[in-house]
Every structure is written in C-alpha cells, then in structure tokens.
Amino acid sequence: MKAVEVNALRKVYGKEKTLAVDEVSFEVNEGEIFGLIGPDGAGKTSIFRMLTTLLLPDGGNAKVCGLDVVKEYKKIRTMVGYMPGKFSLYPDLTVEENLHFFATVFGTSVQENYHLIEAIYVQLAPFKDRRAGKLSGGMKQKLALCCALIHQPKVLFLDEPTTGVDPVSRKEFWEMLKKLKQEGISILVSTPYMDEAAMCDRIGLIQGGKLLSVDLPSQLIQKFPHNVFAVKADNMYQLIQSLQANALVKDVYAFGEYAHLIPNNSALTTSDLLHEMDKLNLQNSSASPTQATIEDCFIQLLH
Amino acid sequence: MKVIRFLLEKEFRQIFRNKSILAMILVLPTMQLIILPLAANYEVRNINLAVVDHDHSDWSAQLILKVTASGYFKLSAYEDNFAQSLTLIEQDKADLILEIPAGFEKNLVKEGNQKVMLSINAINGVKAGLGGAYLGTILRSFNEEIILRVANPQQLGVGGRAELTWSNWFNPTLNYNYFMVPGILAILVTMVGSFLTALNIVKEKEVGTIEQINVTPIKKHHFILGKLLPFMVLGNVVFTVGLLVSYFIYGIVPLGSLWVMYGFIQLYLPAVLGFGLLVSTFCETQQQAMFIMYFFMMVFILMGGLFTPIESMPDWARMVARFNPVSYLIQVMRMVVLKGSSWADIQYQAGIILLFGIVLNAMAILNYRKTN
C-alpha cells in the first residue's frame, strides 16, 4: 500500500477560478521521504491541506494510507501528523503543555511515544516550562515536529518546515527526518530550498500548480540534458549581462559566487567559452565545467 | 468525554494566564456598575436659566426664588431685555429663558391672571423637554400659592377640582439605580459572554491553532462544547460579581429568588455564547469579529429597553427588539429584582431565550466546518 496516492488533484480558488493545483498526480511510497520542491505560490500548501483533509479538492482524488481524503477523512485524521508552514501551536501554553495537549487529544500520552521524539525533545527539555510563543524559530519548529509526531502517525506532512530556520538547525532537522524514516514513517515534505531536495528519496518539482517532474534527486541530475559551466569575473553583473546577449549561450544565471552558464550547443568547450569571454574585456574572468545541481534542473524546467 | 476534559483543562489554563480576560470579567463589571448608573441618570440638573424681568416686583422676585430653589436650575443671567438673553442661548450659556412681563405683580393681584413666557433651547432634546416640564411644574405650584394668598376667599372651593395623587409601585422612591443597575448587569453579562467566545475562537483561527485542532480526531461538538463551557462559567462569575456589586454599592436586594435569576441566566448564556460562536464562524480576524460584535452590541443596548422603554418605540423598532435577546434579560432582571417575579411570571421570556439558544447554536454548528 502506498502512503499517499494523488490522482489528477485539482484546486480552484475564488471567483477568478485561479488554478492553484492543476491535475497533480504522484505517489509516496511507504517509508519514503518525498519532497515537493517549488517556489512560493506553486501550490504546495494547497496540496498539503487537501491531503490532511483541511481543504476539499475540486477535482481528482487522493488517498492517504489507502483512505480517501474526502470520504474517510475522520480515519485519516487519527493517522497523520501535520506541521503547517506557519507556527500554529498555542503560544500561551508552555512547551510541555502543548505536547501534553496534543498527545491527549489523540488519546495517547507523551510517555507512550516518547521514543519517537526523544532525539528532538532532549534539545527542548531545558525550555519545557517556557511559553511556546517565546521560543526561537528553530525551537518552535522542533516543538511543532514533536507535536505532529506524538501520536505516532503513519504519514507525516511537513509544509516548509525549515523556512526561517538557521542553517545548523536546518541540518539537524533533516537528520531527524532520516531517523523518523527509519522508524517506518512516510514523510511528505515541501521546501523552497534546493539544497534540501538532495536529502529526499524522491522529489517532485512543482510550479504554477503543475507537477513538472518526479524523480530521484540523482536521476534528475543525471537526466539533465545540458552541460553546465561555472563562470566568474570581477564584475559579475556585466558578465551575466553580456553573456545573456551572446548567441552561443542558452541561459546564464547567478549561482552563489559563480554564475552558471548553459550553452546552446553541447559541443561548446571550455576554451571556446574562455575565448568568447576574453572579448568582453573583463578582469579575472574564468570558466570551468561543473556538475549540474537540482537548482539547475529546476531553473531549466521553468524556462 | 475525556477529550472534553482535556479541552476544558487547556481552555482554563489559557484563560487564567490571560490577564486581560481576568480583568475583563472582574474589574470591568465592577467599574461599569459603579460608574454607569451614576451617569445614566434621567434627572436633569444644572439647567442654565436666564431670567428677563421687566417687572422687578416683589412677586417676580418670589417666582425667581422659587425656581432657583428647586435645585434644577442655575440662574445664569438676570437681564432686562429679551434680545440679550437670546444671545446667551446662542452662545450656549443659557438653556431656558423665563420672561416676566412688566406689570406682572399688578395684573396678578388685580386680575388674578398673568402670563410669563418660556423660551427653550431645544438642541438637546432631553434637557429642553425636562427643563420645560420642571419649570411648568414649578409655575403650577406657584399658581396654587397665589390662589391661596390672593384670590378672593369666597372663590376657594368653588368649581370643584380633581386632585391628582399617585404612588410608585415596586420602586416607591423612583430610585434610578434600582432599574438601571439590573439592566446594566444584563448588558455586561451579554457583552462578556459573546465577546469572549467570538474573540477566543477567532484567535485560534488567527494564530492557526484551529488548523492543528482540525487535523486531530477531535469532534466538532467536542470542540464547540469545550469552548462554550468555560465561557458559561465566566458568564456566571461576571453575573455573581455584578450582583455582589449591586448589593454592596447600591444596596439592591432582589425581591425575587436568586434561583430564578441564576436559572434564567443558565438559559440565557448559551444563547449569547451561541451568538458569539456564530459571529466567529463568519470572521477570519479578531478585528472583524470586534467590529461585528460592536455593531450588534450597539443595537442590543439601544433597542433593548435599557434607556428607553421598548413600548414607546415605533412598530418596526419593537419588531427588532423582539429579536434582541438582551431585551428579555433586562425585562427578567427588572421583574425579579424589583417585582419579585417567580418562574411562572417569566415563563414566556424563558421560552423565547431557550429558542434563541437552540437556533443560534444550531446555526453556528452548521456554519462551523472542519473542512472547507
């Protein structure tokens, strides 16, 4: 049985009939971390809300743990954990009280499933008497994850869990997700960060409500049909501006301290490129072939 | 049942942690009950009176003395001509002009009959109406004194006159506090109950916690009961505080039984809480909820018979008042406190409030959805 099955799911908002989710279909296997990667407004949250039975789909259907999200929503609610993008625990209750409350409404206790949250909760323990609203961003996320986990869900829905969290906490967070996966929990996670995509077992790239592709992160990179060059010069702005106008170049965009360049012709070599760049009279210009990343895949899919 | 217990536990914990709610249920009723009845007094005092005396006689001086001695009027000017007094009215320095004509005393004594003129500034309708009425009463009693002293003794007792006497039942001294305080308490209970419920639920929407609740197996009616019960308790607390304040500050001891009052409140609170709940289902933010509640509270207060009797309202307004739950509580409060009404007397109001409770809560529950 698949943890999540989504079939031609559609969601339309408002009188203008804005298509937020457009015929999206994918599956999440049991014990898998599936990442939905896409920019803001791509429709990720709408998909999450439909799968967690908070929003009714306008078309298609979806199953969670083999249960229909419309007809059997009551059963689904006992089996899934949902962590919304926005912190939504009681800010006026303490860490411990929040956790205790969510355990009890699921008819369980903190002790019973403590093993699931132990790794996270030990970091929270020093603040257990602090009001949830007074925690730092990273601590809030950890508490939210604890609360979503406390009833031992079969499927975990994490909507942008690391947005607004520092890099160290983000890394820790993903370590925890891997541990949860080992416990047999299937995880559907969304993120706007491309570096996190590589940590998922499979990823779906989503844009404008449409699912563009679903693949293993490594496969996605392997299937990338273009060469990628990393180019650099003292004046990056001028470099990108002039290369964009060049007929040999398909696309060029800033990528960290470098700019990534996709040539129009895959036969283009590094020396051809360097030769071309010399004409621009830029200081300290350099070019070298580089490995495509998920971000490159995503940018090319969008173009 | 266990779920409700946990929900209640959580709700009370949050309430006791929220200092503004505690202040709202304890300080607000106390302060309002102490201050509002003093302000919401129909008696008009300190009416500025300008007297234009063309006569300057013994009698005119007596009339002026009698008017000012009543305590309702403050002599703000004593003029010789009317035009000057009129400018005082224009400048808002006088509310009333009493013009005593020349030859006032002479005509009174000779002909037993004289006219004075009242000019009233009617910008403030209440002040004008009451001021005019007071002055009229004073003039009437002045007349009677004149008849006694001046009129031909043979005329006395001739042409029999009907003498009017009255007594005020249930509130013999016409003490305003006795009927204002129970009315204001009714408004307070309504306000605290409906505002707290509406704002509390909308806050869960605003913070997003309602999403977390919605993905749990908590049932709709559990959630709603978990919200209504705590505010039911708070409503009773406010009511009790209010009764204590009216006893200790105003010495008001309800003639009727406390059981009847508390019994009625138990029917009334579900109705106003249901109203708060219904408002909350339409609102996404506390600001929206505040505005909607405020609008309804204004209507409830002004058309509930607190200040002006419903019976004297136009037909359409009386129809509106029939759909105003507050008007029934105000009625019942006054009936029980002043008249000592029993269950049998308030059956009609109790039935209607019960109906309100059922309809409002049903609408709220239907309108509140866990999925949309």
Side-chain angles (χ1 to χ4, degrees):
Chain A
M1 191 180 67
K2 304 281 184 189
V4 178
E5 289 169 72
V6 178
N7 214 332
L9 203 61
R10 264 163 58 87
K11 182 71 203 177
V12 186
Y13 284 119
K15 282 195 186 122
E16 302 87 38
K17 302 279 172 206
T18 320
L19 209 54
V21 178
D22 187 3
E23 308 275 321
V24 167
S25 305
F26 65 92
E27 286 174 351
V28 179
N29 296 318
E30 239 174 291
E32 179 182 52
I33 300 182
F34 187 99
L36 271 181
I37 319 292
D40 295 335
K44 300 184 299 272
T45 302
S46 296
I47 293 176
F48 272 91
R49 286 170 52 87
M50 283 190 276
L51 291 177
T52 50
T53 74
L54 290 171
L55 199 62
L56 289 172
D58 290 321
N61 60 67
K63 285 180 175 174
V64 175
C65 304
L67 301 164
D68 189 275
V69 290
V70 178
K71 291 181 201 119
E72 294 165 290
Y73 71 94
K74 279 186 181 158
K75 279 188 200 156
I76 293 179
R77 284 177 180 168
T78 61
M79 299 166 114
V80 300
Y82 174 46
M83 180 175 157
K86 187 178 158 232
F87 178 73
S88 48
L89 299 176
Y90 290 101
D92 45 357
L93 293 182
T94 66
V95 168
E96 214 178 11
E97 285 163 353
N98 265 300
L99 194 59
H100 179 72
F101 175 71
F102 283 101
T104 50
V105 295
F106 279 101
T108 176
S109 68
V110 178
Q111 291 76 24
E112 213 171 303
N113 295 313
Y114 188 67
H115 64 279
L116 268 179
I117 59 160
E118 192 176 0
I120 319 164
Y121 194 69
V122 285
Q123 298 179 47
L124 275 170
F127 311 107
K128 68 182 167 59
D129 291 322
R130 193 180 287 190
R131 306 264 167 99
K134 299 254 189 279
L135 291 172
S136 68
M139 284 295 169
K140 277 182 180 163
Q141 298 302 88
K142 282 171 192 152
L143 176 60
L145 184 61
C146 284
C147 289
L149 275 173
I150 196 64
H151 59 291
Q152 201 167 6
K154 292 204 167 61
V155 188
L156 199 54
F157 293 93
L158 309 172
D159 190 7
E160 303 203 1
T162 54
T163 301
V165 174
D166 72 75
V168 178
S169 296
R170 265 170 67 185
K171 205 163 168 295
E172 282 175 0
F173 198 86
W174 278 89
E175 299 289 319
M176 284 183 294
L177 294 193
K178 282 183 181 160
K179 275 184 203 152
L180 292 173
K181 180 187 146 187
Q182 280 157 17
E183 297 269 353
I185 296 175
S186 319
I187 299 169
L188 180 63
V189 59
S190 76
T191 176
Y193 300 124
M194 299 299 159
D195 56 325
E196 291 183 346
M199 316 247 211
C200 301
D201 295 322
R202 285 195 306 148
I203 49 178
L205 297 181
I206 187 168
Q207 156 80 1
K210 280 198 167 66
L211 197 61
L212 303 174
S213 78
V214 176
D215 225 325
L216 306 180
S218 56
Q219 288 273 308
L220 201 68
I221 292 165
Q222 248 174 35
K223 284 183 191 163
F224 192 62
H226 311 286
N227 294 329
V228 184
F229 293 95
V231 293
K232 196 182 175 185
D234 277 358
N235 189 341
M236 286 298 278
Y237 177 71
Q238 206 191 332
L239 176 78
I240 292 173
Q241 287 287 310
S242 5
L243 284 175
Q244 257 166 0
N246 197 304
L248 292 172
V249 177
K250 183 171 188 276
D251 199 1
V252 58
Y253 42 86
F255 196 97
E257 55 174 328
Y258 292 90
H260 274 190
L261 182 145
I262 314 281
N264 257 330
N265 185 343
S266 56
L268 187 89
T269 62
T270 315
S271 52
D272 292 341
L273 186 60
L274 278 171
H275 182 69
E276 203 60 37
M277 284 165 70
D278 282 341
K279 292 182 195 163
L280 299 173
N281 279 331
L282 288 167
Q283 287 187 336
N284 293 326
S285 61
S286 70
S288 57
T290 185
Q291 180 68 49
T293 65
I294 289 177
E295 192 164 337
D296 294 308
C297 302
F298 190 65
I299 290 171
Q300 287 317 303
L301 273 170
L302 294 195
H303 284 191
Chain B
M1 221 44 235
K2 231 168 97 183
V3 175
I4 290 195
R5 211 187 75 213
F6 294 129
L7 283 171
L8 290 181
E9 201 182 297
K10 174 217 118 197
E11 214 58 60
F12 275 113
R13 198 167 268 153
Q14 287 182 297
I15 288 167
F16 286 120
R17 234 163 243 181
N18 189 337
K19 296 218 166 54
S20 61
I21 289 190
L22 285 183
M24 205 168 152
I25 58 171
L26 293 175
V27 180
L28 191 118
T30 318
M31 294 295 288
Q32 295 211 339
L33 278 177
I34 291 173
I35 295 165
L36 278 187
L38 297 178
N41 192 326
Y42 292 125
E43 281 186 318
V44 177
R45 285 184 180 273
N46 298 326
I47 302 168
N48 291 313
L49 176 74
V51 175
V52 184
D53 190 353
H54 298 293
D55 196 38
H56 299 290
S57 63
D58 190 29
W59 278 100
S60 71
Q62 271 194 38
L63 175 61
I64 294 163
L65 188 72
K66 192 164 170 61
V67 170
T68 47
S70 70
Y72 295 112
F73 298 96
K74 211 170 75 192
L75 193 62
S76 64
Y78 185 78
E79 307 275 357
D80 287 329
N81 80 55
F82 186 76
Q84 259 173 352
S85 311
L86 207 58
T87 51
L88 285 176
I89 285 208
E90 282 163 5
Q91 291 163 356
D92 261 344
K93 285 181 184 155
D95 302 307
L96 265 161
I97 305 175
L98 173 66
E99 194 181 13
I100 302 170
F104 176 72
E105 185 180 277
K106 203 175 77 194
N107 289 339
L108 251 186
V109 176
K110 271 192 175 165
E111 294 164 23
N113 164 356
Q114 180 54 282
K115 290 193 169 91
V116 295
M117 186 170 87
L118 279 184
S119 308
I120 303 168
N121 177 6
I123 285 186
N124 182 339
V126 177
K127 217 172 181 182
L130 287 173
Y134 289 156
L135 203 53
T137 318
I138 293 167
L139 284 174
R140 241 193 324 278
S141 84
F142 184 68
N143 271 337
E144 275 160 24
E145 284 172 35
I146 295 165
I147 291 167
L148 280 177
R149 286 165 53 182
V150 180
N152 199 333
Q154 281 111 36
Q155 278 177 356
L156 270 179
V158 181
R161 298 187 320 164
E163 195 64 39
L164 192 66
T165 62
W166 66 86
S167 74
N168 298 305
W169 277 69
F170 308 122
N171 188 0
T173 54
L174 269 188
N175 188 336
Y176 285 96
N177 293 334
Y178 284 4
F179 76 93
M180 281 317 281
V181 170
I184 290 172
L185 183 54
I187 297 283
L188 279 175
V189 170
T190 313
M191 237 166 73
V192 170
S194 54
F195 267 78
L196 284 184
T197 317
L199 291 184
N200 181 288
I201 295 175
V202 174
K203 190 176 160 201
E204 294 234 13
K205 280 191 187 175
E206 238 178 27
V207 182
T209 44
I210 204 150
E211 296 271 271
Q212 282 291 350
I213 294 287
N214 283 350
V215 289
T216 66
I218 293 178
K219 291 194 178 63
K220 203 153 99 172
H221 64 270
H222 283 164
F223 179 75
I224 288 175
L225 266 182
K227 287 289 174 200
L228 292 189
L229 286 177
F231 293 116
M232 189 88 188
V233 174
L234 291 192
N236 275 295
V237 171
V238 170
F239 187 64
T240 310
V241 170
L243 285 182
L244 288 175
V245 170
S246 46
Y247 173 70
F248 284 111
I249 307 276
Y250 300 103
I252 297 174
V253 183
L255 267 182
S257 119
L258 279 177
W259 291 112
V260 175
M261 283 214 266
Y262 275 94
F264 189 79
I265 283 288
Q266 303 324 309
L267 288 177
Y268 182 76
L269 280 173
V272 290
L273 299 186
F275 177 68
L277 195 68
L278 184 62
V279 169
S280 76
T281 60
F282 288 109
C283 302
E284 293 303 320
T285 64
Q286 295 191 59
Q287 202 177 31
Q288 290 172 350
M290 271 311 259
F291 272 110
I292 294 183
M293 293 302 297
Y294 189 75
F295 168 77
F296 278 104
M297 279 316 292
M298 283 294 279
V299 177
F300 283 174
I301 293 173
L302 292 178
M303 302 186 91
L306 176 66
F307 298 110
T308 42
I310 294 172
E311 290 75 15
S312 62
M313 291 178 186
D315 283 345
W316 63 268
R318 267 150 70 181
M319 274 308 284
V320 174
R322 289 179 71 168
F323 291 98
N324 177 359
V326 182
S327 70
Y328 297 96
L329 181 63
I330 293 178
Q331 271 176 36
V332 169
M333 288 288 288
R334 286 177 178 165
M335 281 165 79
V336 178
V337 171
L338 295 173
K339 241 161 88 175
S341 300
S342 66
W343 260 119
D345 302 315
I346 60 163
Q347 262 173 4
Y348 167 72
Q349 284 87 347
I352 291 202
I353 285 300
L354 186 68
L355 207 67
F356 263 110
I358 293 168
V359 171
L360 285 170
N361 281 292
M363 278 166 73
I365 290 173
L366 285 178
N367 208 32
Y368 169 82
R369 292 188 199 295
K370 279 183 97 174
T371 42
N372 60 336

